[in-house]
Every structure is written in C-alpha cells, then in structure tokens.
Amino acid sequence: MLRAAVAAKTTLGIKAKEAMDKGELVSDNLVVGIIDEAMKKPSCQKGFILDGFPRTVTQAQKLDEMLAKQGANVDKVLNFAIDDAILEERITGRWIHPPSGRTYHTKFAPPKSPGVDDVTGEPLIQRRDDTAEVLKSRLEAFHKQTEPVIDYYSKKGLVVNLPAEKPPKEVTAEVLKALS
C-alpha cells in the first residue's frame, strides 16, 4: 500500500516519499493514513493483508483506532514462528536474479551453476540485507519491538501461530487453514 501510494503520487504518498528519500522512517500516522486511503479502493473491499505492519504496539493501537472509525477491525494475525538460527540459514543462502526476480537458495533450491541464473546465465546477486550481520540487527529490533505486537493481539485472541520452519507447501496449507 505504501509503495502504491508513492507510485500513484497521492498526497500521503508524496509525503511518504519525502521521508523515504531523506532516509527517514515513514511516520506511524502517515502509514495508517495510507492504509485508511487504500481501504476505500475496490481492491480492499473484501479485505486485505498487511505484511510488515504494524511493527510496534503503538502502530497496532493506531491501526485499531483507524479501523474502528470505519467499523472494521483486525480479525486475524498470522505469526510465522521460526527459530532465529533457521531463519539465518534461509536468509543468508538466498540469491536473486534481479531482472526476473527468480530466487535461488544455496541449500534448498540451488542454481544449476553456482552464482548463475538457470534461464539466462546472468549473474545472481545477494541482497545487501541478506547478511548475518544485518539479520542479527533486524532480529534484535523484531524481538524488542514486534514481539510485543504479537502479545498485544494474543490478548485479543487474534493470533494464529504458524510453524514457519516447515516446508513451504505445509506452511501455505497452514495459512489457508488459518484464513478459512
């Protein structure tokens, strides 16, 4: 929704882009406003999924307040629970072919030739944030800021814990079950 608002050059999207261009975080009120704006579009009339938001209890509270004003509410929170060590293995082994978006993994889905896209033969890259150091920092922030969001919504009976260490097909089945 944030990217769409920036691309569409909405009033809020322009403000968000200004913050992002300065290397600042987009304010909670601005993100909630963008979600509020997006909810009015036909694509959100039957519902929507937020990924990566809210990340703090304050954001969750602001989101809940905005939704309540529209007569809506968060009805489910999916917590993809996974051990940090497993997550590190998955993240640090990921390689991408930027032009196509194809992804590979050194252990789980390696390319036929290391470092080379199977289709084009072009080089693969590893994202700058797919390193152990960056992941450690992100996990520290997650445990400090976002785990309390899980507690916040757990108290409301909205959290479904999904064992994310399972194979993708099994996790997908768990997600579909949780959302049905």
Side-chain angles (χ1 to χ4, degrees):
M1 290 178 180
L2 179 59
R3 287 185 195 110
V6 169
K9 298 182 179 173
T10 67
T11 303
L12 296 177
I14 291 168
K15 289 180 183 176
K17 185 171 180 358
E18 288 171 2
M20 291 163 40
D21 287 347
K22 292 178 189 173
E24 299 171 354
L25 293 174
V26 178
S27 75
D28 296 347
N29 288 335
L30 198 51
V31 174
V32 170
I34 288 169
I35 294 167
D36 184 32
E37 211 173 60
M39 285 180 62
K40 296 172 178 117
K41 295 181 180 176
S43 60
C44 291
Q45 293 308 300
K46 292 183 180 180
F48 56 92
I49 296 172
L50 297 175
D51 178 12
F53 189 86
R55 290 186 183 188
T56 66
V57 171
T58 300
Q59 290 175 347
Q61 292 166 335
K62 287 177 186 268
L63 176 65
D64 287 349
E65 289 169 15
M66 180 275 293
L67 291 171
K69 287 177 186 172
Q70 292 199 29
N73 60 289
V74 171
D75 59 0
K76 194 129 343 182
V77 174
L78 304 181
N79 179 32
F80 293 89
I82 189 166
D83 184 82
D84 289 358
I86 295 171
L87 191 58
E88 181 177 348
E89 177 184 43
R90 288 183 178 179
I91 296 294
T92 59
R94 183 168 52 188
W95 289 84
I96 300 169
H97 179 248
S100 69
R102 279 186 290 279
T103 60
Y104 299 88
H105 192 279
T106 52
K107 180 177 178 181
F108 305 111
K112 293 173 187 167
S113 297
V116 178
D117 180 54
D118 290 350
V119 177
T120 66
E122 296 171 338
L124 300 174
I125 65 152
Q126 195 165 35
R127 289 179 10 185
R128 287 179 300 193
D129 58 346
D130 282 355
T131 66
E133 297 78 31
V134 172
L135 179 62
K136 181 181 179 197
S137 172
R138 291 173 70 191
L139 285 171
E140 286 173 4
F142 172 80
H143 293 304
K144 181 180 175 185
Q145 297 175 344
T146 306
E147 277 185 351
V149 175
I150 302 299
D151 295 337
Y152 171 81
Y153 283 116
S154 288
K155 290 174 184 165
K156 296 180 176 219
L158 300 175
V159 175
V160 176
N161 289 301
L162 302 170
E165 77 284 348
K166 290 183 175 183
K169 286 183 181 179
E170 290 181 39
V171 175
T172 299
E174 296 277 347
V175 169
L176 294 173
K177 180 179 169 189
L179 296 177
S180 61

